[in-house]
Amino acid sequence: MAEKEITLLKEQIARLDDKKFDLEAWKNRTIIFLERIFGKENSKIKMIQNLHYDYSSWSLRDTFAGGSAKDKDPVRIQAKEILDAVISELESLGLPQQKHEKLKIKELLEDELTGKQVKELETILNSGEQEKEEKIQEILESLEKENLASIISKLLTS
């Protein structure tokens, strides 16, 4: 599961209550974590980037008039809700990149291998054999150097 990621995000939620809260610094730190977890082009990152104070708003004046500002601060409330949703997603569904990386590798191999080789690999991977690694290595060794070089370069650049 994603315990480390969840811990980082919970720390970010706790930082929302800091007395010297700096929204821009908090956003930057949060975006760094979310990019690592979900990738650079993710809607959650855009939501965090869009958090801002509307200084021309009467509601901002009303929010900070009386009572604790952090309890009524709409930006902090929204930030907390976003991170709570992200944490729930990670707890329920796990890390998204694990599935994505496996699918990407499979696609790259399908591009470079013959249909027969792909079927052989799938059979080996789905079997309960203990010599999986050796059998996969045999299939890959049978490939020409150009195919192996292409597979490796695509893996490194994707």
Side-chain angles (χ1 to χ4, degrees):
M1 195 159 102
E3 288 97 17
K4 293 177 186 176
E5 292 82 358
I6 291 170
T7 301
L8 286 173
L9 295 174
K10 285 182 178 180
E11 288 173 9
Q12 282 305 100
I13 290 173
R15 287 177 184 269
L16 290 168
D17 294 330
D18 286 352
K19 288 183 181 182
K20 295 182 180 181
F21 177 72
D22 178 352
L23 178 62
E24 290 306 313
W26 182 89
K27 284 170 40 175
N28 290 337
R29 186 178 172 97
T30 304
I31 289 168
I32 290 169
F33 297 147
L34 292 176
E35 282 180 351
R36 175 139 177 136
I37 297 168
F38 296 102
K40 290 185 183 263
E41 300 296 321
N42 190 279
S43 62
K44 295 160 191 68
I45 294 168
K46 290 180 180 116
M47 284 187 240
I48 296 295
Q49 288 171 333
N50 290 333
L51 291 173
H52 67 278
Y53 287 106
D54 184 5
Y55 292 109
S56 65
S57 172
W58 281 97
S59 66
L60 185 64
R61 177 193 58 107
D62 294 340
T63 298
F64 293 109
S68 174
K70 63 184 171 193
D71 292 339
K72 296 181 181 180
D73 183 345
V75 173
R76 291 185 197 201
I77 292 169
Q78 190 175 12
K80 182 181 182 313
E81 288 299 319
I82 292 168
L83 291 186
D84 281 341
V86 171
I87 289 170
S88 295
E89 177 182 341
L90 289 171
E91 288 172 341
S92 300
L93 305 174
L95 291 168
Q97 294 172 338
Q98 292 171 342
K99 292 178 186 174
H100 178 70
E101 288 173 2
K102 285 182 182 180
L103 290 174
K104 190 70 169 173
I105 291 169
K106 187 177 177 184
E107 286 176 16
L108 292 173
L109 288 173
E110 287 174 351
D111 288 345
E112 296 298 325
L113 301 176
T114 65
K116 180 181 176 189
Q117 290 168 324
V118 171
K119 287 180 184 177
E120 285 178 38
L121 275 177
E122 287 178 356
T123 303
I124 293 168
L125 290 171
N126 294 330
S127 73
E129 296 181 42
Q130 293 187 351
E131 295 109 24
K132 284 182 184 183
E133 195 171 317
E134 293 170 7
K135 290 187 177 189
I136 292 171
Q137 193 171 0
E138 287 174 18
I139 292 173
L140 295 176
E141 286 174 350
S142 70
L143 297 176
E144 294 184 25
K145 286 184 180 181
E146 293 83 19
N147 289 23
L148 283 175
S150 178
I151 291 170
I152 292 170
S153 66
K154 286 179 181 178
L155 284 172
L156 291 173
T157 58
S158 66

